[in-house]
Amino acid sequence: FIDGFSEIANHNDVHLTGGDTVRGPEFFTVSLQGYIENNQYISRSGAKVGDLIYVSGSLGSAAYGLELIKQNNSALRNDFTDAFLYPKPRNNEGFLIAKYASAMIDVSDGFFIDLQKISSQKGLGFKVDVSKLPVDANLIKELTENKAIEYALSGGDDYELCFTIPDQVKRQFCDELSSASNLAFTCVGEITESNQVLTKGNEIYDLPKEIFEHFWMMSINFKRVVKSPYLLLSSGFGIGLIPFAPGTFGSGLGLCLYIFFSHFSFPNV
């Protein structure tokens, strides 16, 4: 782990300082600190109606690679597994994008979920044509187009950049991009006033049922949780169950606990 961490850190001029090790299962947390140029900080909250939605690289391959690793007990190695095991930080591209972007996020939880984090900051929506999502041709060949789109929408672990730029700077952005980077950047939609609309060409695209937000509890209004004891209790029990009931099953248990505790009368704090 340290060899891999050091290699990519040195390549990006990042210095590892401090740290501690204790006995137990492998669990690593890294806090990254640094400096940015004036007016170059791009948050998730700057998108405006009419801004174009872009994504770098390709989506879906890492999630499929993880599935292959699970199926083959880590023995298989190919482009898909490498996409999951060795993601490439888009640092140089990020410097370029920061000159034009109104909002930006890396795609870690899945494109659809992470785009929601951009649009929901100001109560906006978006319209995305899923047929324009950048999916590797080999992924479509390995699966089907529809299945590849599902992985691109919800798979996660891509660590590509999803960002928005004002329409009026599109030409300048594309001109500079074409001369500065060989990485593909794809415009997949635009920010709208409300609603989250997915299309496939001219038809509405129905979101697959299995798409859900990992760590769904992060979307709870924590101020309301603190003031509502039954929410606080269900959240506490839900967190305690995470090691034993991850994923959809754990979310279902958390929901059941919420319903259970909501039947009790507690005075608000």
Side-chain angles (χ1 to χ4, degrees), residues 7-100:
E7 180 180 351
I8 197 168
N10 292 336
H11 180 75
N12 291 279
D13 197 25
V14 173
H15 303 282
L16 177 62
T17 58
D20 189 17
T21 56
V22 294
R23 179 176 297 178
E26 293 84 358
F27 186 88
F28 302 94
T29 300
V30 178
S31 176
L32 187 64
Q33 301 178 1
Y35 298 91
I36 58 171
E37 299 291 337
N38 288 334
N39 301 318
Q40 291 293 295
Y41 172 68
I42 307 298
S43 70
R44 303 176 181 182
S45 61
K48 296 179 175 60
V49 175
D51 284 358
L52 303 176
I53 301 168
Y54 275 82
V55 64
S56 67
S58 61
L59 303 174
S61 294
Y64 182 58
L66 175 59
E67 184 173 309
L68 291 177
I69 290 172
K70 290 179 177 179
Q71 293 174 354
N72 293 274
N73 195 26
S74 303
L76 181 67
R77 286 291 304 275
N78 58 24
D79 290 344
F80 302 121
T81 59
D82 283 356
F84 172 75
L85 294 171
Y86 308 105
K88 297 179 175 61
R90 304 304 187 187
N91 293 345
N92 292 333
E93 291 79 9
F95 290 129
L96 170 62
I97 295 168
K99 297 166 59 176
Y100 300 94

XYZ file of all heavy atoms in Angstrom, residues 7-100:
732
model
N 4.302 6.235 -4.748
C 4.534 6.441 -6.184
C 3.624 7.532 -6.749
O 4.083 8.445 -7.444
C 4.307 5.131 -6.935
C 4.533 5.254 -8.443
C 4.298 3.947 -9.186
O 4.122 2.906 -8.515
O 4.295 3.971 -10.432
N 2.338 7.444 -6.436
C 1.409 8.412 -7.003
C 1.531 9.768 -6.298
O 1.346 10.820 -6.918
C -0.046 7.878 -6.937
C -0.942 8.665 -7.892
C -0.594 7.920 -5.525
C -2.289 8.017 -8.094
N 1.890 9.753 -5.003
C 2.095 11.008 -4.278
C 3.308 11.756 -4.827
O 3.260 12.961 -5.063
C 2.256 10.738 -2.786
N 4.406 11.037 -5.041
C 5.617 11.671 -5.579
C 5.381 12.219 -6.977
O 5.890 13.289 -7.333
C 6.769 10.664 -5.600
C 7.225 10.276 -4.209
O 7.033 11.027 -3.249
N 7.832 9.095 -4.090
N 4.615 11.490 -7.774
C 4.322 11.932 -9.133
C 3.560 13.245 -9.137
O 3.705 14.061 -10.061
C 3.522 10.857 -9.868
C 3.171 11.216 -11.282
N 4.103 11.193 -12.300
C 1.996 11.619 -11.849
C 3.520 11.572 -13.431
N 2.241 11.827 -13.175
N 2.755 13.481 -8.093
C 1.935 14.695 -8.020
C 2.459 15.699 -6.996
O 1.744 16.629 -6.617
C 0.491 14.317 -7.679
C -0.197 13.578 -8.807
O -0.682 14.174 -9.760
N -0.244 12.251 -8.712
N 3.720 15.505 -6.557
C 4.366 16.420 -5.623
C 3.559 16.575 -4.334
O 3.360 17.682 -3.822
C 4.581 17.797 -6.282
C 5.594 18.643 -5.523
O 6.449 18.051 -4.825
O 5.515 19.878 -5.601
N 3.084 15.448 -3.821
C 2.354 15.415 -2.552
C 3.236 14.735 -1.516
O 3.828 13.686 -1.785
C 1.019 14.651 -2.697
C 0.342 14.479 -1.337
C 0.092 15.385 -3.656
N 3.335 15.310 -0.323
C 4.214 14.792 0.718
C 3.385 14.162 1.833
O 2.444 14.774 2.346
C 5.087 15.907 1.293
C 5.911 16.606 0.258
N 7.068 16.074 -0.271
C 5.718 17.796 -0.384
C 7.573 16.903 -1.172
N 6.768 17.955 -1.262
N 3.734 12.950 2.210
C 3.071 12.251 3.305
C 3.735 12.653 4.615
O 4.928 12.461 4.809
C 3.169 10.734 3.114
C 2.577 9.867 4.240
C 1.080 10.113 4.387
C 2.854 8.398 3.981
N 2.963 13.233 5.529
C 3.500 13.660 6.822
C 2.640 13.065 7.928
O 1.415 13.047 7.845
C 3.491 15.196 6.955
O 2.157 15.678 6.793
C 4.388 15.834 5.915
N 3.307 12.584 8.962
C 2.583 12.032 10.095
C 2.010 10.666 9.796
O 2.397 9.989 8.851
N 1.078 10.241 10.624
C 0.443 8.947 10.458
C 0.691 8.062 11.660
O 1.600 8.288 12.454
N -0.132 7.062 11.797
C -0.032 6.156 12.923
C -0.566 4.798 12.493
O -1.414 4.704 11.604
C -0.839 6.693 14.108
C -0.593 5.903 15.376
O 0.416 5.177 15.425
O -1.406 6.001 16.308
N -0.093 3.752 13.103
C -0.595 2.412 12.809
C -1.003 1.738 14.100
O -0.343 1.876 15.134
C 0.482 1.551 12.114
O 1.649 1.509 12.940
C 0.823 2.122 10.748
N -2.105 1.050 14.049
C -2.580 0.281 15.192
C -2.964 -1.106 14.703
O -3.131 -1.344 13.516
C -3.802 0.956 15.857
C -3.412 2.275 16.476
C -4.922 1.150 14.853
N -3.127 -2.024 15.616
C -3.494 -3.378 15.238
C -4.962 -3.424 14.849
O -5.804 -2.793 15.476
C -3.231 -4.319 16.406
C -3.613 -5.773 16.118
C -3.237 -6.669 17.267
N -1.781 -6.683 17.473
C -1.186 -7.358 18.445
N -1.906 -8.052 19.313
N 0.133 -7.330 18.562
N -5.271 -4.161 13.807
C -6.656 -4.294 13.374
C -6.733 -4.473 11.877
O -5.712 -4.564 11.192
N -7.952 -4.545 11.345
C -8.117 -4.692 9.896
C -7.619 -3.446 9.172
O -7.570 -2.355 9.741
C -9.635 -4.868 9.725
C -10.218 -4.236 10.950
C -9.242 -4.489 12.049
N -7.248 -3.639 7.902
C -6.694 -2.524 7.127
C -7.747 -1.455 6.903
O -8.813 -1.714 6.344
C -6.171 -3.021 5.778
C -4.961 -3.927 5.873
C -5.337 -5.363 6.143
O -6.540 -5.619 6.297
O -4.458 -6.224 6.199
N -7.455 -0.236 7.348
C -8.357 0.889 7.148
C -7.510 2.144 7.071
O -6.772 2.451 8.008
C -9.363 0.996 8.301
C -10.422 2.032 8.096
C -11.589 1.720 7.427
C -10.238 3.328 8.549
C -12.566 2.679 7.222
C -11.210 4.290 8.342
C -12.378 3.968 7.687
N -7.590 2.862 5.959
C -6.733 4.024 5.746
C -7.572 5.271 5.496
O -8.517 5.247 4.707
C -5.800 3.804 4.548
C -4.922 2.597 4.683
C -5.299 1.379 4.139
C -3.720 2.677 5.365
C -4.492 0.265 4.266
C -2.902 1.566 5.500
C -3.291 0.355 4.950
N -7.231 6.341 6.178
C -7.878 7.628 5.964
C -6.797 8.669 5.714
O -5.832 8.749 6.480
C -8.726 8.046 7.184
O -9.724 7.062 7.415
C -9.399 9.384 6.929
N -6.963 9.450 4.658
C -5.966 10.459 4.298
C -6.635 11.820 4.227
O -7.700 11.978 3.625
C -5.318 10.138 2.937
C -4.323 11.229 2.555
C -4.626 8.784 2.979
N -6.039 12.797 4.877
C -6.498 14.180 4.794
C -5.508 14.959 3.936
O -4.308 14.992 4.232
C -6.587 14.795 6.195
O -6.945 16.168 6.120
N -6.010 15.560 2.860
C -5.144 16.261 1.914
C -5.281 17.772 2.096
O -6.390 18.310 2.101
C -5.528 15.877 0.478
C -4.621 16.384 -0.634
C -3.224 15.792 -0.506
C -5.208 16.027 -1.998
N -4.156 18.439 2.252
C -4.145 19.888 2.431
C -3.188 20.526 1.439
O -2.191 19.921 1.058
C -3.743 20.255 3.866
C -4.657 19.680 4.925
C -4.205 20.011 6.331
O -3.202 20.696 6.527
N -4.936 19.528 7.319
N -3.520 21.743 1.037
C -2.650 22.428 0.094
C -3.114 23.843 -0.152
O -3.953 24.380 0.584
N -2.568 24.454 -1.186
C -2.880 25.835 -1.539
C -3.425 25.887 -2.961
O -3.102 25.038 -3.793
C -1.628 26.720 -1.455
C -1.030 26.807 -0.063
C -0.041 25.911 0.334
C -1.461 27.775 0.832
C 0.509 25.983 1.602
C -0.915 27.862 2.097
C 0.067 26.957 2.483
O 0.613 27.024 3.734
N -4.235 26.889 -3.231
C -4.744 27.111 -4.576
C -4.532 28.569 -4.961
O -4.370 29.440 -4.110
C -6.257 26.771 -4.684
C -7.055 27.618 -3.692
C -6.502 25.298 -4.455
C -8.549 27.495 -3.879
N -4.528 28.805 -6.258
C -4.404 30.176 -6.749
C -5.691 30.947 -6.475
O -6.775 30.371 -6.336
C -4.132 30.165 -8.263
C -2.847 29.458 -8.663
C -1.613 30.206 -8.220
O -1.713 31.440 -7.996
O -0.551 29.571 -8.085
N -5.571 32.261 -6.412
C -6.750 33.103 -6.221
C -7.773 32.868 -7.327
O -7.417 32.744 -8.498
C -6.354 34.587 -6.212
C -5.620 34.980 -4.941
O -5.800 34.343 -3.899
N -4.799 36.016 -5.017
N -9.024 32.777 -6.933
C -10.147 32.607 -7.864
C -10.100 31.280 -8.626
O -10.726 31.143 -9.670
C -10.194 33.768 -8.877
C -10.336 35.116 -8.205
O -11.103 35.263 -7.255
N -9.582 36.092 -8.687
N -9.354 30.311 -8.097
C -9.277 29.020 -8.768
C -9.945 27.908 -7.959
O -9.884 26.747 -8.335
C -7.815 28.646 -9.023
C -7.137 29.530 -10.062
C -7.722 29.337 -11.455
O -7.620 28.269 -12.047
N -8.348 30.374 -11.964
N -10.567 28.260 -6.848
C -11.264 27.253 -6.047
C -12.639 27.002 -6.648
O -13.467 27.903 -6.739
C -11.403 27.713 -4.596
C -12.272 26.799 -3.764
C -11.847 25.508 -3.465
C -13.517 27.221 -3.304
C -12.643 24.660 -2.710
C -14.315 26.374 -2.551
C -13.871 25.101 -2.253
O -14.666 24.255 -1.514
N -12.873 25.775 -7.070
C -14.153 25.418 -7.682
C -14.896 24.469 -6.738
O -14.433 23.365 -6.481
C -13.959 24.742 -9.055
C -13.072 25.610 -9.956
C -15.299 24.470 -9.710
C -13.648 26.978 -10.257
N -16.033 24.915 -6.244
C -16.822 24.103 -5.323
C -17.902 23.349 -6.090
O -17.991 23.410 -7.315
C -17.465 24.994 -4.257
O -18.479 25.805 -4.833
N -18.771 22.667 -5.363
C -19.889 21.965 -5.982
C -21.082 22.887 -6.211
O -22.031 22.507 -6.892
C -20.350 20.817 -5.074
C -19.281 19.806 -4.729
C -19.837 18.787 -3.739
N -18.841 17.794 -3.361
C -19.082 16.774 -2.538
N -20.280 16.634 -2.010
N -18.132 15.913 -2.252
N -21.055 24.082 -5.620
C -22.277 24.874 -5.503
C -22.421 26.005 -6.514
O -23.357 26.796 -6.412
C -22.358 25.460 -4.083
O -21.247 26.308 -3.819
N -21.532 26.090 -7.498
C -21.558 27.259 -8.378
C -22.349 27.112 -9.662
O -22.424 28.054 -10.463
N -22.931 25.955 -9.914
C -23.641 25.730 -11.185
C -24.862 26.635 -11.306
O -25.538 26.918 -10.322
C -24.063 24.268 -11.296
N -25.129 27.062 -12.546
C -26.289 27.914 -12.829
C -27.100 27.307 -13.969
O -26.598 26.498 -14.750
C -25.830 29.328 -13.201
C -25.109 30.074 -12.075
C -24.674 31.451 -12.538
C -24.060 32.250 -11.399
N -22.877 31.590 -10.832
N -28.353 27.710 -14.040
C -29.237 27.222 -15.095
C -28.623 27.531 -16.461
O -28.177 28.649 -16.711
C -30.633 27.867 -14.983
C -31.515 27.452 -16.161
C -31.301 27.462 -13.672
N -28.588 26.539 -17.327
C -28.027 26.709 -18.659
C -26.577 26.268 -18.768
O -26.059 26.126 -19.888
N -25.903 26.061 -17.630
C -24.523 25.576 -17.682
C -24.486 24.181 -18.295
O -25.385 23.363 -18.075
C -23.914 25.522 -16.279
C -23.520 26.890 -15.757
O -23.684 27.872 -16.498
O -23.045 26.966 -14.608
N -23.431 23.899 -19.041
C -23.259 22.603 -19.689
C -22.582 21.620 -18.730
O -21.706 22.007 -17.953
C -22.432 22.758 -20.958
C -22.981 23.731 -22.004
C -22.005 23.857 -23.167
C -24.355 23.285 -22.493
N -22.991 20.370 -18.790
C -22.444 19.334 -17.917
C -21.425 18.514 -18.708
O -21.752 17.950 -19.753
C -23.556 18.412 -17.384
C -24.590 19.222 -16.604
C -22.955 17.303 -16.509
C -25.856 18.439 -16.310
N -20.201 18.450 -18.192
C -19.125 17.692 -18.839
C -18.619 16.608 -17.898
O -18.740 16.710 -16.667
C -17.955 18.609 -19.185
C -18.086 19.329 -20.505
C -18.845 20.489 -20.617
C -17.434 18.869 -21.650
C -18.956 21.165 -21.818
C -17.538 19.532 -22.854
C -18.299 20.674 -22.946
O -18.413 21.339 -24.152
N -18.022 15.593 -18.482
C -17.344 14.565 -17.705
C -16.070 14.162 -18.443
O -16.036 14.124 -19.672
C -18.263 13.349 -17.459
C -18.620 12.656 -18.758
C -17.621 12.363 -16.495
N -15.013 13.902 -17.677
C -13.740 13.520 -18.281
C -13.648 12.009 -18.453
O -14.360 11.246 -17.804
C -12.569 14.005 -17.403
O -12.569 13.303 -16.168
N -12.756 11.578 -19.335
C -12.454 10.155 -19.481
C -13.652 9.309 -19.838
O -14.501 9.709 -20.640
N -13.731 8.138 -19.218
C -14.856 7.229 -19.453
C -15.386 6.725 -18.121
O -14.684 6.738 -17.103
C -14.433 6.048 -20.341
O -13.409 5.294 -19.706
N -16.624 6.254 -18.131
C -17.306 5.840 -16.910
C -17.698 4.366 -16.984
O -17.958 3.840 -18.061
C -18.565 6.685 -16.690
C -18.394 8.199 -16.621
C -19.768 8.879 -16.555
C -17.547 8.595 -15.427
N -17.763 3.735 -15.837
C -18.316 2.386 -15.756
C -17.303 1.263 -15.695
O -17.591 0.194 -15.152
N -16.120 1.457 -16.245
C -15.146 0.370 -16.322
C -14.658 -0.059 -14.943
O -14.450 -1.252 -14.682
C -13.950 0.793 -17.183
O -14.340 0.981 -18.534
N -14.466 0.899 -14.035
C -13.961 0.567 -12.705
C -14.964 -0.285 -11.933
O -14.583 -1.256 -11.257
C -13.643 1.841 -11.927
N -16.240 0.068 -12.025
C -17.261 -0.695 -11.311
C -17.347 -2.119 -11.839
O -17.496 -3.079 -11.067
C -18.611 0.003 -11.436
N -17.239 -2.270 -13.146
C -17.257 -3.614 -13.723
C -15.991 -4.371 -13.322
O -16.026 -5.586 -13.061
C -17.374 -3.532 -15.239
C -17.438 -4.895 -15.912
C -18.435 -5.806 -15.581
C -16.496 -5.262 -16.866
C -18.487 -7.051 -16.184
C -16.548 -6.500 -17.479
C -17.540 -7.391 -17.132
O -17.587 -8.625 -17.734
N -14.867 -3.657 -13.244
C -13.631 -4.281 -12.802
C -13.742 -4.814 -11.387
O -13.258 -5.916 -11.080
N -14.388 -4.054 -10.505
C -14.601 -4.518 -9.134
C -15.445 -5.779 -9.107
O -15.170 -6.720 -8.351
C -15.267 -3.421 -8.310
C -15.670 -3.804 -6.879
C -14.462 -4.266 -6.072
C -16.367 -2.632 -6.200
N -16.467 -5.825 -9.942
C -17.314 -7.013 -10.010
C -16.511 -8.225 -10.464
O -16.658 -9.334 -9.925
C -18.486 -6.776 -10.958
C -19.466 -7.935 -11.023
C -20.695 -7.605 -11.847
O -21.314 -6.557 -11.594
O -21.029 -8.407 -12.738
N -15.638 -8.024 -11.442
C -14.796 -9.126 -11.912
C -13.851 -9.605 -10.815
O -13.620 -10.812 -10.666
C -13.993 -8.688 -13.136
C -14.781 -8.434 -14.424
C -13.847 -7.932 -15.513
C -15.505 -9.690 -14.888
N -13.301 -8.681 -10.057
C -12.396 -9.048 -8.965
C -13.130 -9.893 -7.934
O -12.617 -10.905 -7.441
C -11.807 -7.781 -8.310
C -10.834 -7.092 -9.273
C -11.104 -8.119 -7.002
C -10.353 -5.752 -8.803
N -14.341 -9.494 -7.593
C -15.125 -10.253 -6.621
C -15.451 -11.650 -7.148
O -15.421 -12.621 -6.399
C -16.414 -9.505 -6.299
C -16.209 -8.232 -5.490
C -17.534 -7.540 -5.236
C -17.357 -6.301 -4.370
N -18.655 -5.609 -4.152
N -15.757 -11.725 -8.426
C -16.115 -13.018 -9.013
C -14.919 -13.952 -9.131
O -15.065 -15.175 -9.014
C -16.746 -12.812 -10.397
C -18.098 -12.128 -10.376
C -18.601 -11.819 -11.778
O -17.888 -12.010 -12.764
N -19.823 -11.330 -11.879
N -13.743 -13.385 -9.356
C -12.557 -14.210 -9.615
C -11.555 -14.202 -8.472
O -10.411 -14.590 -8.642
C -11.867 -13.727 -10.899
C -12.701 -13.983 -12.133
O -12.659 -15.049 -12.711
N -13.478 -12.980 -12.538
N -11.998 -13.703 -7.315
C -11.144 -13.719 -6.125
C -9.793 -13.045 -6.377
O -8.728 -13.560 -6.013
C -10.932 -15.155 -5.634
C -10.364 -15.197 -4.229
O -10.567 -14.267 -3.463
N -9.657 -16.269 -3.912
N -9.846 -11.911 -7.037
C -8.681 -11.041 -7.280
C -7.650 -11.629 -8.246
O -6.585 -11.054 -8.432
C -7.965 -10.693 -5.957
O -8.853 -10.082 -5.056
N -7.928 -12.763 -8.861
C -6.928 -13.387 -9.735
C -6.872 -12.742 -11.108
O -5.821 -12.732 -11.755
C -7.223 -14.880 -9.866
N -7.996 -12.200 -11.583
C -8.055 -11.678 -12.938
C -7.444 -10.286 -13.018
O -7.624 -9.462 -12.128
C -9.519 -11.635 -13.405
C -9.773 -11.134 -14.819
C -9.208 -12.129 -15.830
C -11.264 -10.931 -15.062
N -6.698 -10.032 -14.114
C -6.163 -8.702 -14.356
C -6.422 -8.324 -15.808
O -6.019 -9.035 -16.727
C -4.649 -8.675 -14.089
C -4.267 -8.705 -12.626
C -4.639 -7.408 -11.915
N -4.053 -6.254 -12.561
C -2.820 -5.812 -12.317
N -2.041 -6.456 -11.463
N -2.353 -4.743 -12.923
N -7.116 -7.226 -16.027
C -7.329 -6.691 -17.367
C -7.575 -5.193 -17.249
O -7.404 -4.598 -16.175
C -8.485 -7.416 -18.072
C -9.797 -7.321 -17.300
O -10.009 -6.406 -16.515
N -10.690 -8.287 -17.520
N -7.969 -4.565 -18.345
C -8.180 -3.121 -18.335
C -9.268 -2.697 -17.352
O -9.203 -1.613 -16.760
C -8.547 -2.632 -19.739
C -7.369 -2.709 -20.703
O -6.221 -2.835 -20.220
O -7.598 -2.646 -21.926
N -10.278 -3.547 -17.163
C -11.372 -3.210 -16.254
C -10.906 -3.257 -14.797
O -11.196 -2.339 -14.016
C -12.556 -4.166 -16.464
C -13.094 -4.168 -17.864
C -13.113 -5.332 -18.609
C -13.567 -3.004 -18.446
C -13.608 -5.338 -19.909
C -14.067 -2.991 -19.742
C -14.086 -4.175 -20.480
N -10.198 -4.317 -14.430
C -9.716 -4.403 -13.053
C -8.683 -3.314 -12.771
O -8.649 -2.755 -11.672
C -9.115 -5.788 -12.766
O -8.032 -6.031 -13.671
C -10.169 -6.876 -12.930
N -7.861 -2.992 -13.762
C -6.882 -1.922 -13.577
C -7.559 -0.567 -13.391
O -7.065 0.292 -12.652
C -5.924 -1.860 -14.769
C -4.878 -2.964 -14.731
O -4.848 -3.721 -13.742
O -4.106 -3.081 -15.699
N -8.688 -0.373 -14.071
C -9.430 0.881 -13.919
C -9.895 1.064 -12.480
O -9.943 2.189 -11.961
C -10.630 0.905 -14.863
N -10.224 -0.052 -11.821
C -10.640 0.022 -10.422
C -9.440 0.127 -9.482
O -9.439 0.926 -8.546
C -11.476 -1.206 -10.054
C -11.782 -1.296 -8.584
C -12.736 -0.468 -8.014
C -11.096 -2.184 -7.769
C -13.002 -0.525 -6.646
C -11.359 -2.254 -6.410
C -12.324 -1.420 -5.845
N -8.425 -0.679 -9.729
C -7.287 -0.752 -8.812
C -6.337 0.435 -8.935
O -5.697 0.821 -7.960
C -6.509 -2.053 -9.052
C -7.238 -3.349 -8.713
C -6.443 -4.550 -9.212
C -7.478 -3.455 -7.212
N -6.240 1.020 -10.126
C -5.267 2.082 -10.366
C -5.912 3.300 -11.033
O -5.592 3.636 -12.171
C -4.115 1.558 -11.226
C -3.485 0.291 -10.686
C -3.732 -0.938 -11.289
C -2.666 0.328 -9.565
C -3.168 -2.105 -10.789
C -2.094 -0.833 -9.058
C -2.352 -2.046 -9.674
O -1.795 -3.192 -9.171
N -6.819 3.984 -10.345
C -7.422 5.188 -10.937
C -6.373 6.279 -11.116
O -5.395 6.350 -10.357
C -8.474 5.594 -9.904
C -7.969 5.037 -8.612
C -7.290 3.740 -8.965
N -6.561 7.101 -12.130
C -5.590 8.152 -12.444
C -6.151 9.512 -12.024
O -7.160 9.960 -12.575
C -5.262 8.152 -13.940
C -4.589 6.871 -14.424
C -4.328 6.933 -15.919
C -3.555 5.708 -16.402
N -4.296 4.455 -16.163
N -5.513 10.186 -11.084
C -5.965 11.525 -10.691
C -5.883 12.495 -11.870
O -4.868 12.547 -12.555
C -4.988 11.933 -9.579
C -4.381 10.655 -9.108
C -4.344 9.749 -10.301
N -6.947 13.245 -12.084
C -6.983 14.197 -13.207
C -6.523 15.581 -12.744
O -7.213 16.584 -12.949
C -8.397 14.247 -13.788
C -8.953 12.899 -14.237
C -8.058 12.219 -15.241
N -8.673 11.001 -15.801
C -8.066 10.157 -16.598
N -6.801 10.355 -16.936
N -8.699 9.089 -17.066
N -5.337 15.630 -12.119
C -4.872 16.894 -11.556
C -4.573 17.942 -12.613
O -4.996 19.095 -12.509
C -3.618 16.645 -10.706
C -3.916 15.826 -9.468
O -5.069 15.673 -9.086
N -2.886 15.280 -8.847
N -3.808 17.573 -13.632
C -3.456 18.551 -14.662
C -4.694 19.058 -15.379
O -4.820 20.251 -15.690
C -2.488 17.916 -15.661
C -1.135 17.614 -15.047
O -0.714 18.276 -14.099
N -0.445 16.618 -15.569
N -5.614 18.145 -15.665
C -6.859 18.549 -16.311
C -7.671 19.458 -15.388
O -8.342 20.384 -15.830
C -7.678 17.319 -16.702
C -7.077 16.478 -17.818
C -5.960 15.568 -17.366
O -5.756 15.467 -16.136
O -5.283 14.958 -18.226
N -7.604 19.179 -14.077
C -8.344 20.004 -13.124
C -7.899 21.448 -13.130
O -8.713 22.366 -13.003
N -6.583 21.676 -13.287
C -6.077 23.053 -13.360
C -6.670 23.786 -14.565
O -7.032 24.967 -14.483
C -4.556 23.052 -13.458
C -3.869 22.613 -12.194
C -2.905 21.618 -12.224
C -4.190 23.189 -10.979
C -2.272 21.210 -11.069
C -3.559 22.791 -9.805
C -2.598 21.792 -9.852
N -6.752 23.091 -15.665
C -7.321 23.692 -16.867
C -8.814 23.953 -16.693
O -9.310 25.044 -17.007
C -7.086 22.777 -18.070
C -7.812 23.134 -19.361
C -7.371 24.509 -19.857
C -7.550 22.076 -20.428
N -9.538 22.966 -16.188
C -10.984 23.096 -16.014
C -11.324 24.242 -15.075
O -12.311 24.959 -15.276
C -11.563 21.773 -15.477
C -11.391 20.660 -16.510
C -13.037 21.922 -15.130
C -11.669 19.277 -15.950
N -10.492 24.431 -14.037
C -10.782 25.456 -13.029
C -10.857 26.855 -13.618
O -11.476 27.750 -13.034
C -9.725 25.406 -11.930
N -10.265 27.063 -14.771
C -10.310 28.382 -15.414
C -11.679 28.675 -15.999
O -12.006 29.826 -16.279
C -9.247 28.464 -16.502
C -7.818 28.345 -15.976
C -6.818 28.080 -17.086
C -6.800 29.151 -18.137
N -5.746 28.894 -19.163
N -12.488 27.630 -16.185
C -13.770 27.806 -16.868
C -14.969 27.291 -16.070
O -16.099 27.742 -16.296
C -13.744 27.064 -18.204
C -12.669 27.535 -19.150
C -11.426 26.905 -19.208
C -12.891 28.617 -19.995
C -10.442 27.338 -20.074
C -11.906 29.058 -20.871
C -10.683 28.415 -20.909
O -9.714 28.851 -21.768
